Amino acid sequence: MVPEPESIVGEALRELASVGGPVDLDRALAPLAAGARAQLTEAVGRHRLDAAFADALQRAGHEVPVDIAADVDDDRLMRLQVTAALGRVADAFDDADVPWLTFKGPVIAALMPRPELRSYNDLDVLVAAADLERAVDALTDVGIDELNENWTPYVRHRVGEVPMAAGAVSIDLHWHVVGLGRHRRSIRFDPSAMLARRRFVEVAGTARPTFDPSDQLLHLVVHAALSGATRLDQLRDLAVVVSNERIDWGEFAQRAGGVGVAKLAGHTLDRAARVLGAPISDPVLRRMAGSSLDRRRRLDGDAIGDLRGIG
């Protein structure tokens, strides 16, 4: 029996989203030989796996489409620009004695065996709400621009970040890790406590402050779930952290419950485990997700394209 294009594309996507990058190139590129190039290319873009796809094509001796090659080149340049912007932010905050941390893109990439396969196009930093004014002043004093020109919708929606820019690099200056006030009614993160638990990790050769392992994973879980937890690049981030950090699962489950997202965390991590093989035990998942876990697994089925939004 010849596999259906959906099945071939789905298996290719799983390979491309591997934590260490694609290993089985035949599996990653099987849709090309099956006449499903268009479906694969569209899905790669939707799941933001362009860098892994370009890598697989190059290693297999295939020509990389011009648009994807351009995107990968842009990613390389952006990584350098983000690294430089991170250095400017660090110096500004440290000189002004503003406690801070950075998270997402560069921090997750640094955990990967091949950081170049994790794309990012901005820089996320967190300060305490009480320090926000000082933080903005510290950044503008070193030539980083504050971009907000209309505070009315910002205040109306209680937006948890201020948009800034260092040249071509967008900087999201967070005073909260949940973007909209309506979501913070049920998702009860405590940014001050998260800042107090911060640790330093190596990012592009320099120690930078970031979340502790449980806070890091919990934030990524919520971030993915608020987008439906259907994008493979976000599920890969979860798999990267679970595979490379020491997670105290009892502590993680307790924090997830305290924040009000235990069930959400269980379902989202279960999807990362089932789709991408993130090493999380079934008892841990059931402790958080409860009795609805089996039902959602049945709804998910086996096809990447059939995943339903979580959240």
Side-chain angles (χ1 to χ4, degrees):
M1 178 182 293
V2 177
E4 293 294 325
E6 162 64 27
S7 173
I8 296 173
V9 171
E11 290 306 304
L13 291 171
R14 292 177 200 267
E15 184 65 30
L16 292 170
S18 298
V19 167
V23 175
D24 186 340
L25 298 183
D26 289 339
R27 183 184 186 217
L29 301 177
L32 304 185
R37 175 183 288 270
Q39 294 97 312
L40 177 61
T41 302
E42 185 277 330
V44 162
R46 178 158 36 90
H47 291 283
R48 302 186 186 180
L49 299 173
D50 297 69
F53 184 39
D55 174 74
L57 288 169
Q58 288 176 329
R59 288 162 54 208
H62 292 276
E63 183 177 355
V64 179
V66 173
D67 56 339
I68 293 178
D71 287 343
V72 172
D73 287 342
D74 288 345
D75 283 345
R76 293 193 187 102
L77 177 59
M78 183 55 67
R79 279 194 291 274
L80 296 174
Q81 292 174 324
V82 169
T83 299
L86 179 55
R88 293 177 64 187
V89 168
D91 290 344
F93 284 162
D94 292 345
D95 289 346
D97 197 26
V98 174
W100 68 286
L101 59 79
T102 186
F103 58 103
K104 286 173 61 179
V107 177
I108 304 305
L111 290 172
M112 296 176 65
R114 300 183 60 197
E116 70 274 14
L117 298 184
R118 206 304 187 168
S119 301
Y120 47 87
N121 56 13
D122 61 3
L123 177 63
D124 290 277
V125 294
L126 173 69
V127 300
D131 290 329
L132 181 61
E133 184 176 355
R134 287 201 305 128
V136 171
D137 289 344
L139 295 182
T140 56
D141 284 348
V142 298
I144 293 174
D145 298 317
E146 195 272 298
L147 302 180
N148 196 16
E149 296 180 351
N150 185 354
W151 288 96
T152 300
Y154 181 95
V155 173
R156 180 188 307 128
H157 297 292
R158 294 183 295 142
V159 179
E161 62 195 65
V162 175
M164 306 194 74
V169 178
S170 296
I171 299 175
D172 294 332
L173 174 59
H174 295 257
W175 57 268
H176 203 286
V177 293
V178 177
L180 297 178
R182 62 187 176 87
H183 290 146
R184 294 196 293 276
R185 295 177 194 139
S186 57
I187 302 174
R188 303 182 296 273
F189 277 115
D190 181 350
S192 295
M194 298 170 87
L195 280 160
R197 292 191 290 261
R198 69 178 182 164
R199 54 167 176 156
F200 284 78
V201 300
E202 187 173 299
V203 178
T206 303
R208 302 297 188 195
T210 192
F211 294 129
D212 82 353
S214 289
D215 284 339
Q216 176 176 245
L217 182 60
L218 192 54
H219 171 261
L220 289 173
V221 161
V222 171
H223 181 68
L226 288 176
S227 299
T230 58
R231 268 186 21 215
L232 293 185
D233 65 322
Q234 294 180 330
L235 296 181
R236 183 181 61 185
D237 280 355
L238 300 177
V240 166
V241 171
V242 170
S243 299
N244 292 283
E245 297 273 33
R246 289 188 175 183
I247 306 296
D248 181 327
W249 288 109
E251 178 182 66
F252 177 85
Q254 184 175 27
R255 285 191 199 173
V259 173
V261 297
K263 184 171 289 189
L264 191 72
H267 282 287
T268 304
L269 287 170
D270 180 63
R271 181 168 285 174
R274 288 170 55 79
V275 174
L276 296 181
I280 313 166
S281 72
D282 197 68
V284 166
L285 296 168
R286 291 187 182 278
R287 173 180 175 182
M288 291 183 287
S291 59
S292 60
L293 189 62
D294 291 323
R295 179 175 180 274
R296 206 225 64 255
R297 286 175 174 176
R298 289 193 298 271
L299 290 173
D300 271 2
D302 296 319
I304 298 292
D306 290 340
L307 296 178
R308 302 184 182 198
I310 293 174

